[in-house]
Amino acid sequence: MKSKLTLRALTEGAILIAAAQVLSYLKLWRMPWGGSITLAMVPIILYAVRWGLGPGLLAGFVYGVMQFMFDGGISIGWESIIGDYLLAYLALGFAGLAHDKKGGIFIGTVIGGLCRFLVHYVVGATIWGEYMPETFFGMTMHSPWFYSLLYNLAYMLPNIIICLVVFALLWVPMRKYLTGADLKKA
């Protein structure tokens, strides 16, 4: 029974990571120095909430590696590669903390999205801060922390909202899959 679930977890993880990679190419909006609005977080969050924290973190990390390698990763050194790709997408796997919780897919979306945002925010202020423009969104920038907040919220907030909307639309027809209830019968 356990080996059957392990095989299913690995297979589902591979399929959902591949789906996230494909969805990442369909950008609704792209920021000038990296970051975009896509549906790519949906499969990673779904996997993390279905299988838990450990598998979710691993899926997020693998997806981060793929994002850097195949999606034209923007970096200014090894620090930004580690922060903006490996750690940020690993942090998305914290959605797995909502595994087996009532409304876990929604809680997981908020947790994973906020964790990813926090990594991008710190990396943006500490590493990318020296490239801060004089004005951004029509405002004069004085602090790299404020600039990073605005920049990263501009794409992360819509990504989180899009995930919540997608999961809300899928809640009724696919509830047992969104909650992982189908895994308990396997």
Side-chain angles (χ1 to χ4, degrees):
M1 179 71 135
K2 185 173 167 98
S3 65
K4 182 180 173 185
L5 281 177
T6 303
L7 179 62
R8 184 170 176 177
L10 289 171
T11 306
E12 196 172 303
I15 291 168
L16 290 174
I17 291 168
Q21 187 65 34
V22 170
L23 288 170
S24 76
Y25 297 132
L26 307 172
K27 295 178 181 6
L28 302 174
W29 189 51
R30 178 179 226 145
M31 295 291 287
W33 292 104
S36 56
I37 299 173
T38 68
L39 291 168
M41 284 181 18
V42 170
I44 302 299
I45 290 171
L46 175 61
Y47 182 76
V49 171
R50 284 175 56 78
W51 291 97
L53 182 61
L57 292 172
L58 180 59
F61 181 80
V62 170
Y63 177 63
V65 170
M66 291 179 65
Q67 275 296 282
F68 180 73
M69 291 175 59
F70 301 120
D71 199 26
I74 297 173
S75 70
I76 54 174
W78 64 270
E79 300 94 343
S80 62
I81 294 170
I82 290 172
D84 279 331
Y85 293 95
L86 304 182
L87 292 179
Y89 290 106
L90 173 100
L92 192 56
F94 278 107
L97 290 171
H99 174 67
D100 282 341
K101 304 276 189 280
K102 186 175 180 176
I105 196 76
F106 302 105
I107 296 166
T109 298
V110 172
I111 292 171
L114 286 176
C115 288
R116 179 180 166 205
F117 164 75
L118 287 173
V119 173
H120 285 306
Y121 172 62
V122 171
V123 170
T126 58
I127 296 171
W128 290 94
E130 67 183 276
Y131 300 99
M132 177 180 71
E134 290 184 25
T135 59
F136 186 69
F137 287 146
M139 294 180 273
T140 303
M141 295 290 110
H142 298 289
S143 165
W145 292 97
F146 184 65
Y147 167 66
S148 182
L149 178 74
L150 291 178
Y151 187 94
N152 290 296
L153 273 179
Y155 69 94
M156 281 304 302
L157 189 58
N159 277 328
I160 293 168
I161 292 169
I162 286 170
C163 286
L164 290 170
V165 168
V166 167
F167 291 136
L169 292 172
L170 295 175
W171 185 252
V172 171
M174 298 184 67
R175 183 180 193 150
K176 72 179 183 179
Y177 299 106
L178 296 177
T179 61
D182 64 312
L183 300 174
K184 290 163 183 54
K185 296 175 187 172

